[in-house]
Amino acid sequence: MTRTLADARAAFVAAIKQDIPGTDLPRLVAVLDALIAWSTARPEKLSFRPPSGRGATVGFERVGAKAVFWSAQVTRGAGPKLEIHGNVGEALSDAERAQVLETLNAHSREVLVDGDRLRIGFGALKNAAAQAAVLALMERLLARDALPT
């Protein structure tokens, strides 16, 4: 089991290599590195969450809450995907959840509907505009979670 971010990243990259060999690898690794860089730049809000199960995953949780904020996993045959996790999604109003779905759907071939897990493939996130939109969305969700209730 990986306990450090560097180990989790290495296991994730190895899983990508097994599933998607070839020229896409550097661009998919760049997506992972962008997600990690974005998260580590917010140490007061996010911390690395060591994987709890089998498979190569990288994830970050909200500091203090110990609730997963995002994770990425490589699924054989489907490639790597980013998932924005339940506690965030469940706490959203209908209008906010619709905005999240709209943002993810605007940049993905796979169309999410209400009730789906909030996921987007790394293939979509290779696009700079898609990556920027999703990171901005995550920033808004992270800021929203920090507001007093």
mmCIF file of all heavy atoms in Angstrom, residues 11-59:
data_model
loop_
_atom_site.group_PDB
_atom_site.id
_atom_site.type_symbol
_atom_site.label_atom_id
_atom_site.label_comp_id
_atom_site.label_asym_id
_atom_site.label_seq_id
_atom_site.Cartn_x
_atom_site.Cartn_y
_atom_site.Cartn_z
ATOM 1 N N ALA A 11 2.509 4.811 -8.528
ATOM 2 C CA ALA A 11 1.603 3.686 -8.784
ATOM 3 C C ALA A 11 0.540 4.073 -9.809
ATOM 4 O O ALA A 11 0.171 3.267 -10.676
ATOM 5 C CB ALA A 11 0.947 3.238 -7.473
ATOM 6 N N PHE A 12 0.056 5.297 -9.736
ATOM 7 C CA PHE A 12 -0.956 5.789 -10.675
ATOM 8 C C PHE A 12 -0.384 5.843 -12.094
ATOM 9 O O PHE A 12 -1.013 5.382 -13.050
ATOM 10 C CB PHE A 12 -1.437 7.173 -10.226
ATOM 11 C CG PHE A 12 -2.692 7.641 -10.902
ATOM 12 C CD1 PHE A 12 -3.932 7.372 -10.356
ATOM 13 C CD2 PHE A 12 -2.633 8.371 -12.077
ATOM 14 C CE1 PHE A 12 -5.100 7.808 -10.971
ATOM 15 C CE2 PHE A 12 -3.783 8.821 -12.700
ATOM 16 C CZ PHE A 12 -5.027 8.537 -12.153
ATOM 17 N N VAL A 13 0.822 6.394 -12.219
ATOM 18 C CA VAL A 13 1.464 6.489 -13.538
ATOM 19 C C VAL A 13 1.713 5.088 -14.092
ATOM 20 O O VAL A 13 1.488 4.838 -15.283
ATOM 21 C CB VAL A 13 2.766 7.318 -13.459
ATOM 22 C CG1 VAL A 13 3.555 7.230 -14.763
ATOM 23 C CG2 VAL A 13 2.436 8.775 -13.138
ATOM 24 N N ALA A 14 2.141 4.153 -13.259
ATOM 25 C CA ALA A 14 2.352 2.769 -13.710
ATOM 26 C C ALA A 14 1.045 2.156 -14.206
ATOM 27 O O ALA A 14 1.028 1.441 -15.215
ATOM 28 C CB ALA A 14 2.943 1.929 -12.582
ATOM 29 N N ALA A 15 -0.058 2.443 -13.525
ATOM 30 C CA ALA A 15 -1.366 1.923 -13.951
ATOM 31 C C ALA A 15 -1.796 2.538 -15.279
ATOM 32 O O ALA A 15 -2.371 1.848 -16.127
ATOM 33 C CB ALA A 15 -2.414 2.192 -12.876
ATOM 34 N N ILE A 16 -1.514 3.825 -15.469
ATOM 35 C CA ILE A 16 -1.823 4.453 -16.758
ATOM 36 C C ILE A 16 -1.022 3.767 -17.866
ATOM 37 O O ILE A 16 -1.556 3.460 -18.925
ATOM 38 C CB ILE A 16 -1.526 5.969 -16.753
ATOM 39 C CG1 ILE A 16 -2.441 6.727 -15.810
ATOM 40 C CG2 ILE A 16 -1.694 6.543 -18.170
ATOM 41 C CD1 ILE A 16 -2.081 8.210 -15.650
ATOM 42 N N LYS A 17 0.268 3.521 -17.602
ATOM 43 C CA LYS A 17 1.134 2.885 -18.608
ATOM 44 C C LYS A 17 0.601 1.512 -19.011
ATOM 45 O O LYS A 17 0.665 1.147 -20.182
ATOM 46 C CB LYS A 17 2.553 2.718 -18.066
ATOM 47 C CG LYS A 17 3.366 3.972 -18.069
ATOM 48 C CD LYS A 17 4.769 3.704 -17.533
ATOM 49 C CE LYS A 17 5.561 4.982 -17.412
ATOM 50 N NZ LYS A 17 6.885 4.759 -16.810
ATOM 51 N N GLN A 18 0.065 0.767 -18.059
ATOM 52 C CA GLN A 18 -0.490 -0.552 -18.359
ATOM 53 C C GLN A 18 -1.731 -0.433 -19.228
ATOM 54 O O GLN A 18 -1.960 -1.254 -20.104
ATOM 55 C CB GLN A 18 -0.890 -1.282 -17.075
ATOM 56 C CG GLN A 18 0.233 -1.984 -16.395
ATOM 57 C CD GLN A 18 -0.296 -2.812 -15.236
ATOM 58 O OE1 GLN A 18 -1.114 -2.354 -14.451
ATOM 59 N NE2 GLN A 18 0.188 -4.032 -15.142
ATOM 60 N N ASP A 19 -2.549 0.560 -18.943
ATOM 61 C CA ASP A 19 -3.832 0.684 -19.630
ATOM 62 C C ASP A 19 -3.740 1.459 -20.935
ATOM 63 O O ASP A 19 -4.434 1.151 -21.886
ATOM 64 C CB ASP A 19 -4.846 1.355 -18.697
ATOM 65 C CG ASP A 19 -6.276 1.159 -19.173
ATOM 66 O OD1 ASP A 19 -6.646 0.000 -19.429
ATOM 67 O OD2 ASP A 19 -6.992 2.165 -19.293
ATOM 68 N N ILE A 20 -2.889 2.477 -20.965
ATOM 69 C CA ILE A 20 -2.826 3.368 -22.132
ATOM 70 C C ILE A 20 -1.376 3.595 -22.519
ATOM 71 O O ILE A 20 -0.811 4.647 -22.213
ATOM 72 C CB ILE A 20 -3.524 4.706 -21.839
ATOM 73 C CG1 ILE A 20 -4.945 4.476 -21.360
ATOM 74 C CG2 ILE A 20 -3.515 5.610 -23.065
ATOM 75 C CD1 ILE A 20 -5.654 5.706 -20.875
ATOM 76 N N PRO A 21 -0.752 2.637 -23.161
ATOM 77 C CA PRO A 21 0.621 2.870 -23.607
ATOM 78 C C PRO A 21 0.631 3.824 -24.799
ATOM 79 O O PRO A 21 -0.364 3.944 -25.504
ATOM 80 C CB PRO A 21 1.099 1.475 -24.010
ATOM 81 C CG PRO A 21 -0.150 0.751 -24.381
ATOM 82 C CD PRO A 21 -1.252 1.330 -23.543
ATOM 83 N N GLY A 22 1.726 4.506 -24.991
ATOM 84 C CA GLY A 22 1.852 5.335 -26.189
ATOM 85 C C GLY A 22 1.983 6.801 -25.920
ATOM 86 O O GLY A 22 2.359 7.246 -24.838
ATOM 87 N N THR A 23 1.613 7.563 -26.932
ATOM 88 C CA THR A 23 1.891 8.991 -26.935
ATOM 89 C C THR A 23 1.017 9.803 -25.993
ATOM 90 O O THR A 23 1.367 10.935 -25.664
ATOM 91 C CB THR A 23 1.738 9.560 -28.358
ATOM 92 O OG1 THR A 23 0.405 9.301 -28.801
ATOM 93 C CG2 THR A 23 2.727 8.926 -29.308
ATOM 94 N N ASP A 24 -0.109 9.274 -25.557
ATOM 95 C CA ASP A 24 -0.981 10.016 -24.645
ATOM 96 C C ASP A 24 -0.444 10.060 -23.217
ATOM 97 O O ASP A 24 -0.856 10.909 -22.428
ATOM 98 C CB ASP A 24 -2.384 9.409 -24.617
ATOM 99 C CG ASP A 24 -3.366 10.185 -25.470
ATOM 100 O OD1 ASP A 24 -2.990 11.247 -25.995
ATOM 101 O OD2 ASP A 24 -4.509 9.734 -25.600
ATOM 102 N N LEU A 25 0.447 9.152 -22.878
ATOM 103 C CA LEU A 25 0.927 9.044 -21.499
ATOM 104 C C LEU A 25 1.429 10.365 -20.922
ATOM 105 O O LEU A 25 0.982 10.769 -19.837
ATOM 106 C CB LEU A 25 1.996 7.954 -21.377
ATOM 107 C CG LEU A 25 2.562 7.758 -19.981
ATOM 108 C CD1 LEU A 25 1.487 7.283 -19.015
ATOM 109 C CD2 LEU A 25 3.724 6.784 -20.016
ATOM 110 N N PRO A 26 2.333 11.098 -21.586
ATOM 111 C CA PRO A 26 2.813 12.348 -20.987
ATOM 112 C C PRO A 26 1.698 13.363 -20.729
ATOM 113 O O PRO A 26 1.720 14.074 -19.717
ATOM 114 C CB PRO A 26 3.816 12.892 -22.010
ATOM 115 C CG PRO A 26 4.230 11.702 -22.811
ATOM 116 C CD PRO A 26 3.040 10.794 -22.837
ATOM 117 N N ARG A 27 0.722 13.414 -21.612
ATOM 118 C CA ARG A 27 -0.378 14.369 -21.434
ATOM 119 C C ARG A 27 -1.294 13.963 -20.284
ATOM 120 O O ARG A 27 -1.809 14.807 -19.552
ATOM 121 C CB ARG A 27 -1.157 14.523 -22.735
ATOM 122 C CG ARG A 27 -0.289 15.191 -23.807
ATOM 123 C CD ARG A 27 -0.976 15.308 -25.135
ATOM 124 N NE ARG A 27 -2.087 16.241 -25.053
ATOM 125 C CZ ARG A 27 -3.088 16.268 -25.917
ATOM 126 N NH1 ARG A 27 -3.123 15.421 -26.922
ATOM 127 N NH2 ARG A 27 -4.054 17.143 -25.797
ATOM 128 N N LEU A 28 -1.501 12.652 -20.088
ATOM 129 C CA LEU A 28 -2.322 12.178 -18.977
ATOM 130 C C LEU A 28 -1.601 12.388 -17.645
ATOM 131 O O LEU A 28 -2.219 12.778 -16.649
ATOM 132 C CB LEU A 28 -2.686 10.705 -19.178
ATOM 133 C CG LEU A 28 -3.559 10.416 -20.405
ATOM 134 C CD1 LEU A 28 -3.712 8.920 -20.600
ATOM 135 C CD2 LEU A 28 -4.916 11.096 -20.295
ATOM 136 N N VAL A 29 -0.296 12.155 -17.634
ATOM 137 C CA VAL A 29 0.501 12.394 -16.427
ATOM 138 C C VAL A 29 0.498 13.889 -16.103
ATOM 139 O O VAL A 29 0.436 14.283 -14.930
ATOM 140 C CB VAL A 29 1.931 11.838 -16.583
ATOM 141 C CG1 VAL A 29 2.817 12.269 -15.424
ATOM 142 C CG2 VAL A 29 1.904 10.316 -16.696
ATOM 143 N N ALA A 30 0.523 14.726 -17.116
ATOM 144 C CA ALA A 30 0.467 16.177 -16.897
ATOM 145 C C ALA A 30 -0.847 16.580 -16.227
ATOM 146 O O ALA A 30 -0.867 17.491 -15.389
ATOM 147 C CB ALA A 30 0.654 16.924 -18.214
ATOM 148 N N VAL A 31 -1.944 15.909 -16.568
ATOM 149 C CA VAL A 31 -3.231 16.177 -15.910
ATOM 150 C C VAL A 31 -3.123 15.825 -14.425
ATOM 151 O O VAL A 31 -3.523 16.612 -13.556
ATOM 152 C CB VAL A 31 -4.384 15.394 -16.584
ATOM 153 C CG1 VAL A 31 -5.663 15.471 -15.752
ATOM 154 C CG2 VAL A 31 -4.633 15.902 -17.992
ATOM 155 N N LEU A 32 -2.589 14.643 -14.133
ATOM 156 C CA LEU A 32 -2.411 14.240 -12.742
ATOM 157 C C LEU A 32 -1.544 15.252 -11.996
ATOM 158 O O LEU A 32 -1.893 15.689 -10.888
ATOM 159 C CB LEU A 32 -1.781 12.848 -12.663
ATOM 160 C CG LEU A 32 -1.457 12.360 -11.251
ATOM 161 C CD1 LEU A 32 -2.724 12.209 -10.415
ATOM 162 C CD2 LEU A 32 -0.676 11.060 -11.308
ATOM 163 N N ASP A 33 -0.440 15.638 -12.608
ATOM 164 C CA ASP A 33 0.469 16.584 -11.961
ATOM 165 C C ASP A 33 -0.194 17.947 -11.731
ATOM 166 O O ASP A 33 0.052 18.591 -10.707
ATOM 167 C CB ASP A 33 1.753 16.725 -12.771
ATOM 168 C CG ASP A 33 2.634 15.486 -12.669
ATOM 169 O OD1 ASP A 33 2.441 14.662 -11.744
ATOM 170 O OD2 ASP A 33 3.516 15.318 -13.538
ATOM 171 N N ALA A 34 -1.053 18.364 -12.647
ATOM 172 C CA ALA A 34 -1.771 19.628 -12.465
ATOM 173 C C ALA A 34 -2.742 19.541 -11.286
ATOM 174 O O ALA A 34 -2.849 20.483 -10.485
ATOM 175 C CB ALA A 34 -2.518 20.007 -13.744
ATOM 176 N N LEU A 35 -3.431 18.417 -11.159
ATOM 177 C CA LEU A 35 -4.349 18.222 -10.031
ATOM 178 C C LEU A 35 -3.588 18.199 -8.706
ATOM 179 O O LEU A 35 -4.016 18.803 -7.718
ATOM 180 C CB LEU A 35 -5.138 16.924 -10.200
ATOM 181 C CG LEU A 35 -6.180 16.919 -11.320
ATOM 182 C CD1 LEU A 35 -6.646 15.496 -11.609
ATOM 183 C CD2 LEU A 35 -7.354 17.820 -10.963
ATOM 184 N N ILE A 36 -2.450 17.508 -8.699
ATOM 185 C CA ILE A 36 -1.634 17.450 -7.491
ATOM 186 C C ILE A 36 -1.096 18.836 -7.141
ATOM 187 O O ILE A 36 -1.153 19.260 -5.983
ATOM 188 C CB ILE A 36 -0.488 16.424 -7.653
ATOM 189 C CG1 ILE A 36 -1.066 14.996 -7.682
ATOM 190 C CG2 ILE A 36 0.542 16.580 -6.546
ATOM 191 C CD1 ILE A 36 -0.047 13.924 -8.058
ATOM 192 N N ALA A 37 -0.582 19.553 -8.135
ATOM 193 C CA ALA A 37 -0.039 20.893 -7.893
ATOM 194 C C ALA A 37 -1.121 21.835 -7.372
ATOM 195 O O ALA A 37 -0.887 22.616 -6.436
ATOM 196 C CB ALA A 37 0.589 21.449 -9.176
ATOM 197 N N TRP A 38 -2.303 21.765 -7.957
ATOM 198 C CA TRP A 38 -3.415 22.608 -7.519
ATOM 199 C C TRP A 38 -3.739 22.312 -6.052
ATOM 200 O O TRP A 38 -3.942 23.223 -5.250
ATOM 201 C CB TRP A 38 -4.633 22.361 -8.417
ATOM 202 C CG TRP A 38 -5.824 23.171 -8.049
ATOM 203 C CD1 TRP A 38 -6.116 24.441 -8.471
ATOM 204 C CD2 TRP A 38 -6.886 22.791 -7.170
ATOM 205 N NE1 TRP A 38 -7.293 24.866 -7.903
ATOM 206 C CE2 TRP A 38 -7.783 23.868 -7.108
ATOM 207 C CE3 TRP A 38 -7.167 21.645 -6.441
ATOM 208 C CZ2 TRP A 38 -8.945 23.838 -6.339
ATOM 209 C CZ3 TRP A 38 -8.326 21.608 -5.674
ATOM 210 C CH2 TRP A 38 -9.203 22.694 -5.623
ATOM 211 N N SER A 39 -3.754 21.038 -5.704
ATOM 212 C CA SER A 39 -4.118 20.632 -4.341
ATOM 213 C C SER A 39 -3.038 20.977 -3.322
ATOM 214 O O SER A 39 -3.343 21.464 -2.230
ATOM 215 C CB SER A 39 -4.401 19.128 -4.305
ATOM 216 O OG SER A 39 -5.498 18.829 -5.151
ATOM 217 N N THR A 40 -1.788 20.713 -3.669
ATOM 218 C CA THR A 40 -0.705 20.996 -2.722
ATOM 219 C C THR A 40 -0.486 22.496 -2.537
ATOM 220 O O THR A 40 0.112 22.906 -1.547
ATOM 221 C CB THR A 40 0.616 20.305 -3.132
ATOM 222 O OG1 THR A 40 0.992 20.720 -4.444
ATOM 223 C CG2 THR A 40 0.473 18.785 -3.078
ATOM 224 N N ALA A 41 -0.993 23.306 -3.447
ATOM 225 C CA ALA A 41 -0.909 24.759 -3.308
ATOM 226 C C ALA A 41 -1.940 25.289 -2.304
ATOM 227 O O ALA A 41 -1.958 26.485 -2.007
ATOM 228 C CB ALA A 41 -1.113 25.433 -4.663
ATOM 229 N N ARG A 42 -2.773 24.398 -1.748
ATOM 230 C CA ARG A 42 -3.816 24.769 -0.788
ATOM 231 C C ARG A 42 -3.685 23.940 0.499
ATOM 232 O O ARG A 42 -4.622 23.257 0.910
ATOM 233 C CB ARG A 42 -5.198 24.556 -1.411
ATOM 234 C CG ARG A 42 -5.479 25.545 -2.510
ATOM 235 C CD ARG A 42 -6.419 24.997 -3.590
ATOM 236 N NE ARG A 42 -6.610 25.995 -4.624
ATOM 237 C CZ ARG A 42 -5.721 26.242 -5.580
ATOM 238 N NH1 ARG A 42 -4.587 25.579 -5.650
ATOM 239 N NH2 ARG A 42 -5.945 27.174 -6.493
ATOM 240 N N PRO A 43 -2.511 23.981 1.154
ATOM 241 C CA PRO A 43 -2.288 23.106 2.312
ATOM 242 C C PRO A 43 -3.196 23.413 3.506
ATOM 243 O O PRO A 43 -3.410 22.544 4.346
ATOM 244 C CB PRO A 43 -0.813 23.350 2.665
ATOM 245 C CG PRO A 43 -0.523 24.710 2.133
ATOM 246 C CD PRO A 43 -1.371 24.852 0.889
ATOM 247 N N GLU A 44 -3.737 24.615 3.565
ATOM 248 C CA GLU A 44 -4.647 24.944 4.658
ATOM 249 C C GLU A 44 -6.039 24.355 4.429
ATOM 250 O O GLU A 44 -6.841 24.261 5.354
ATOM 251 C CB GLU A 44 -4.732 26.468 4.859
ATOM 252 C CG GLU A 44 -5.459 27.237 3.767
ATOM 253 C CD GLU A 44 -4.737 27.352 2.419
ATOM 254 O OE1 GLU A 44 -3.528 27.052 2.329
ATOM 255 O OE2 GLU A 44 -5.403 27.739 1.435
ATOM 256 N N LYS A 45 -6.315 23.923 3.200
ATOM 257 C CA LYS A 45 -7.643 23.397 2.870
ATOM 258 C C LYS A 45 -7.634 21.926 2.483
ATOM 259 O O LYS A 45 -8.631 21.221 2.687
ATOM 260 C CB LYS A 45 -8.254 24.214 1.725
ATOM 261 C CG LYS A 45 -8.535 25.652 2.087
ATOM 262 C CD LYS A 45 -9.131 26.392 0.922
ATOM 263 C CE LYS A 45 -9.401 27.839 1.296
ATOM 264 N NZ LYS A 45 -9.961 28.594 0.179
ATOM 265 N N LEU A 46 -6.539 21.453 1.858
ATOM 266 C CA LEU A 46 -6.484 20.087 1.346
ATOM 267 C C LEU A 46 -5.214 19.382 1.789
ATOM 268 O O LEU A 46 -4.160 20.010 1.888
ATOM 269 C CB LEU A 46 -6.542 20.083 -0.187
ATOM 270 C CG LEU A 46 -7.826 20.581 -0.843
ATOM 271 C CD1 LEU A 46 -7.635 20.699 -2.349
ATOM 272 C CD2 LEU A 46 -8.989 19.670 -0.523
ATOM 273 N N SER A 47 -5.334 18.080 2.012
ATOM 274 C CA SER A 47 -4.156 17.266 2.301
ATOM 275 C C SER A 47 -4.270 15.938 1.561
ATOM 276 O O SER A 47 -5.379 15.460 1.272
ATOM 277 C CB SER A 47 -3.996 17.033 3.803
ATOM 278 O OG SER A 47 -5.083 16.293 4.312
ATOM 279 N N PHE A 48 -3.125 15.354 1.257
ATOM 280 C CA PHE A 48 -3.078 14.067 0.572
ATOM 281 C C PHE A 48 -3.781 13.018 1.426
ATOM 282 O O PHE A 48 -3.617 12.972 2.637
ATOM 283 C CB PHE A 48 -1.626 13.662 0.318
ATOM 284 C CG PHE A 48 -1.470 12.252 -0.159
ATOM 285 C CD1 PHE A 48 -1.951 11.859 -1.405
ATOM 286 C CD2 PHE A 48 -0.848 11.300 0.632
ATOM 287 C CE1 PHE A 48 -1.818 10.556 -1.843
ATOM 288 C CE2 PHE A 48 -0.697 9.999 0.210
ATOM 289 C CZ PHE A 48 -1.187 9.617 -1.035
ATOM 290 N N ARG A 49 -4.552 12.182 0.766
ATOM 291 C CA ARG A 49 -5.240 11.076 1.436
ATOM 292 C C ARG A 49 -4.664 9.779 0.888
ATOM 293 O O ARG A 49 -4.887 9.456 -0.293
ATOM 294 C CB ARG A 49 -6.734 11.146 1.180
ATOM 295 C CG ARG A 49 -7.509 10.030 1.874
ATOM 296 C CD ARG A 49 -8.995 10.149 1.551
ATOM 297 N NE ARG A 49 -9.740 9.097 2.164
ATOM 298 C CZ ARG A 49 -10.567 9.266 3.194
ATOM 299 N NH1 ARG A 49 -10.722 10.458 3.715
ATOM 300 N NH2 ARG A 49 -11.235 8.252 3.677
ATOM 301 N N PRO A 50 -3.941 9.014 1.697
ATOM 302 C CA PRO A 50 -3.383 7.751 1.200
ATOM 303 C C PRO A 50 -4.493 6.827 0.711
ATOM 304 O O PRO A 50 -5.581 6.806 1.290
ATOM 305 C CB PRO A 50 -2.684 7.161 2.428
ATOM 306 C CG PRO A 50 -2.418 8.328 3.317
ATOM 307 C CD PRO A 50 -3.555 9.284 3.079
ATOM 308 N N PRO A 51 -4.241 6.086 -0.350
ATOM 309 C CA PRO A 51 -5.262 5.157 -0.866
ATOM 310 C C PRO A 51 -5.677 4.155 0.207
ATOM 311 O O PRO A 51 -4.847 3.689 0.990
ATOM 312 C CB PRO A 51 -4.554 4.448 -2.021
ATOM 313 C CG PRO A 51 -3.422 5.337 -2.394
ATOM 314 C CD PRO A 51 -3.024 6.053 -1.143
ATOM 315 N N SER A 52 -6.958 3.836 0.234
ATOM 316 C CA SER A 52 -7.460 2.921 1.254
ATOM 317 C C SER A 52 -7.752 1.528 0.701
ATOM 318 O O SER A 52 -7.984 0.606 1.467
ATOM 319 C CB SER A 52 -8.722 3.488 1.896
ATOM 320 O OG SER A 52 -9.709 3.700 0.915
ATOM 321 N N GLY A 53 -7.773 1.393 -0.598
ATOM 322 C CA GLY A 53 -8.111 0.095 -1.168
ATOM 323 C C GLY A 53 -7.133 -0.326 -2.234
ATOM 324 O O GLY A 53 -6.036 0.218 -2.351
ATOM 325 N N ARG A 54 -7.557 -1.315 -2.986
ATOM 326 C CA ARG A 54 -6.729 -1.795 -4.087
ATOM 327 C C ARG A 54 -6.770 -0.787 -5.221
ATOM 328 O O ARG A 54 -7.634 0.062 -5.295
ATOM 329 C CB ARG A 54 -7.278 -3.125 -4.596
ATOM 330 C CG ARG A 54 -7.168 -4.227 -3.611
ATOM 331 C CD ARG A 54 -7.733 -5.517 -4.143
ATOM 332 N NE ARG A 54 -8.194 -5.407 -5.512
ATOM 333 C CZ ARG A 54 -8.435 -6.417 -6.295
ATOM 334 N NH1 ARG A 54 -8.278 -7.617 -5.864
ATOM 335 N NH2 ARG A 54 -8.853 -6.241 -7.523
ATOM 336 N N GLY A 55 -5.839 -0.955 -6.113
ATOM 337 C CA GLY A 55 -5.809 -0.096 -7.288
ATOM 338 C C GLY A 55 -5.006 1.164 -7.051
ATOM 339 O O GLY A 55 -4.698 1.531 -5.923
ATOM 340 N N ALA A 56 -4.676 1.776 -8.138
ATOM 341 C CA ALA A 56 -3.866 2.988 -8.100
ATOM 342 C C ALA A 56 -4.787 4.201 -8.028
ATOM 343 O O ALA A 56 -5.498 4.507 -8.977
ATOM 344 C CB ALA A 56 -2.987 3.065 -9.340
ATOM 345 N N THR A 57 -4.779 4.855 -6.886
ATOM 346 C CA THR A 57 -5.569 6.070 -6.727
ATOM 347 C C THR A 57 -4.717 7.165 -6.121
ATOM 348 O O THR A 57 -3.761 6.905 -5.396
ATOM 349 C CB THR A 57 -6.802 5.853 -5.816
ATOM 350 O OG1 THR A 57 -6.362 5.486 -4.516
ATOM 351 C CG2 THR A 57 -7.728 4.793 -6.368
ATOM 352 N N VAL A 58 -5.097 8.383 -6.444
ATOM 353 C CA VAL A 58 -4.519 9.574 -5.825
ATOM 354 C C VAL A 58 -5.709 10.409 -5.397
ATOM 355 O O VAL A 58 -6.663 10.567 -6.161
ATOM 356 C CB VAL A 58 -3.638 10.367 -6.808
ATOM 357 C CG1 VAL A 58 -3.181 11.682 -6.190
ATOM 358 C CG2 VAL A 58 -2.441 9.542 -7.253
ATOM 359 N N GLY A 59 -5.665 10.913 -4.180
ATOM 360 C CA GLY A 59 -6.778 11.716 -3.709
ATOM 361 C C GLY A 59 -6.365 12.713 -2.659
ATOM 362 O O GLY A 59 -5.309 12.579 -2.034
#
